[in-house]
Amino acid sequence: MLIALGILVAGGVGLAVIGVATVRNSTAGRFVDPLPGPDEPGYQAYVEPTPTMAVVHRGAEGELIGVALLVLESNEDGGTVVLVPATTLIRQDPDEEAPATLAEVYDQLGDTGVVAALADLLVVAIPEHLEVDDARWASLVAPVAPVEVELTGQVGEWGPGTVPLTADDVGPFLATLSEGEPEVERLERQVALWTAWLPQVRDAGADALPGETGVGIGRFVRELAAGLPSIVPLPVTPVDEGAGGVPEAYNPHVQQVGDLVARAVPSPVSPTPDRRARVRLLNGTTDRALMAEAAQALVRSGAEITIVGNAQTFDEEETRLLYGSEAQRPAAEWLAAGFGDATVEADPSLDGGETDDDIDVTVILGDDARDLIGR
């Protein structure tokens, strides 16, 4: 049975751009000069990657408690906190002599290894991370403590009802896992803590967190708190149930994880070369809302949206995925399969290094794009 804890808040997916690029016509291979405006044919801009950071929780005995992936959005929603179980499986082959779960990776490779494994699992680069223990949790929460959470039953030393957690309580509370209790129930309590803590950070203003406010954990927590962030566990299914039917590990639910990543990280960066196809997304219609929907569909299929803009005309009837060299053709065909089997075409102007950006596939949206996305 699928375990789905929490609901990711639905909303528009924003693509933040970082300035107009000097562009080439994707079908003629020539520079466009002077630069067009955002509403004009031929406009293109580089996409700013969605900021991501991992918080790796180390328990009192040196074990991995879990990982929180913090994601910032460009709109007013603030972003997303994705909570990941320590026993999440990262490989399926039992014959491999390699760690099977994030907890085992942590035991062997520490926090850096866990972040790399999670990035590989989600196919999303995670350039920043912070390892926290009980003392670090206490220092983070202290300016706004106590943090009140609602419990329906006994959790360690904390009874049911409204529980005011002191700063020193937070780390042990997040780590508590009773005998015979599945790990996903601990994730529910982690959801409760983040859900209660972030509004208190917002209300406390400048003194809500220790340390610098514009970088690292200070930046991420403040920006999350300033909006209406989603707090959501990674969608998983239980495997290897042990004594008493308690799962010993969890498999990521592939489709739901893909949907979650596409919504939460609208502009992902590939964690390693070639894990995501680099895409230039151009609108060949007058439907502006189409871009966000198309971007989400492409990201779900494995795209890294690098450049967005307008086609050379807004009268495109057919959506096309263009590639330059034969080496890029499989990526175009893969993305097209997840985009309603859109047309794939070779574009000689994209081959031979003639363009000034690293793009694998150019997607030109036509009037049929919305129907294709809905397939």
Side-chain angles (χ1 to χ4, degrees):
M1 178 178 66
L2 174 66
I3 296 175
L5 305 174
I7 300 174
L8 184 66
V9 175
V13 176
L15 295 175
V17 298
I18 54 174
V20 180
T22 301
V23 296
R24 293 178 184 265
N25 183 317
S26 63
T27 57
R30 60 178 176 81
F31 283 107
V32 176
D33 190 23
L35 294 176
D39 296 326
E40 298 175 5
Y43 168 85
Q44 293 181 30
Y46 288 110
V47 174
E48 182 177 12
T50 302
T52 57
M53 179 181 187
V55 177
V56 181
H57 186 178
R58 177 185 179 89
E61 304 299 323
E63 77 280 21
L64 179 68
I65 301 302
V67 183
L69 176 65
L70 313 184
V71 184
L72 300 181
E73 238 314 0
S74 59
N75 57 29
E76 295 181 356
D77 289 342
T80 304
V81 179
V82 182
L83 298 168
V84 184
T87 53
T88 299
L89 287 166
I90 59 170
R91 67 173 177 84
Q92 303 300 314
D93 187 350
D95 296 326
E96 287 187 25
E97 295 183 2
T101 67
L102 288 178
E104 292 172 354
V105 172
Y106 186 77
D107 289 342
Q108 297 186 23
L109 301 174
D111 55 318
T112 302
V114 163
V115 174
L118 181 60
D120 184 70
L121 178 68
L122 302 180
V123 198
V124 171
I126 308 174
E128 294 186 66
H129 80 273
L130 175 69
E131 185 177 36
V132 297
D133 57 11
D134 290 351
R136 190 60 185 270
W137 264 119
S139 69
L140 287 172
V141 176
V144 299
V147 178
E148 291 189 351
V149 296
E150 294 291 332
L151 300 180
T152 58
Q154 190 75 26
V155 177
E157 64 184 77
W158 300 279
T162 301
V163 178
L165 297 173
T166 69
D168 290 334
D169 285 338
V170 169
F173 173 81
L174 292 175
T176 296
L177 189 64
S178 302
E179 184 176 354
E181 184 181 34
E183 189 183 0
V184 290
E185 292 190 18
R186 178 164 69 182
L187 249 65
E188 288 184 318
R189 296 193 288 271
Q190 294 172 0
V191 169
L193 186 283
W194 281 91
T195 300
W197 178 40
L198 290 179
Q200 292 185 214
V201 170
R202 178 197 61 215
D203 295 341
D207 299 325
L209 290 166
E212 297 186 50
T213 62
V215 296
I217 188 69
R219 173 203 175 193
F220 274 81
V221 171
R222 285 176 183 278
E223 292 194 23
L224 285 165
L228 297 172
S230 300
I231 318 296
V232 54
L234 189 76
V236 295
T237 54
V239 296
D240 299 332
E241 293 188 358
V246 177
E248 297 180 358
Y250 294 90
N251 255 331
H253 189 286
V254 175
Q255 180 177 348
Q256 291 199 10
V257 169
D259 291 342
L260 170 60
V261 169
R263 287 177 176 271
V265 193
S267 305
V269 174
S270 180
T272 55
D274 301 326
R275 287 297 307 279
R276 286 186 176 271
R278 297 161 299 182
V279 169
R280 182 199 331 260
L281 178 60
L282 304 179
N283 196 352
T285 78
T286 57
D287 184 355
R288 294 187 179 184
L290 186 60
M291 289 289 281
E293 296 177 34
Q296 189 174 112
L298 290 166
V299 168
R300 186 182 298 111
S301 295
E304 174 184 328
I305 310 296
T306 302
I307 293 174
V308 294
N310 302 324
Q312 292 303 309
T313 174
F314 295 129
D315 297 323
E316 296 283 350
E317 296 182 358
E318 183 182 36
T319 297
R320 294 172 293 147
L321 281 75
L322 309 178
Y323 65 92
S325 68
E326 279 299 309
Q328 295 166 327
R329 181 174 180 174
E333 292 177 338
W334 177 267
L335 292 178
F339 203 81
D341 291 322
T343 299
V344 176
E345 296 179 356
D347 185 347
S349 72
L350 301 177
D351 196 8
E354 295 180 7
T355 58
D356 58 353
D357 42 63
D358 295 324
I359 295 295
D360 297 309
V361 180
T362 293
V363 179
I364 300 178
L365 301 177
D367 289 335
D368 62 344
R370 196 173 294 280
D371 290 337
L372 293 172
I373 295 170
R375 289 183 183 176

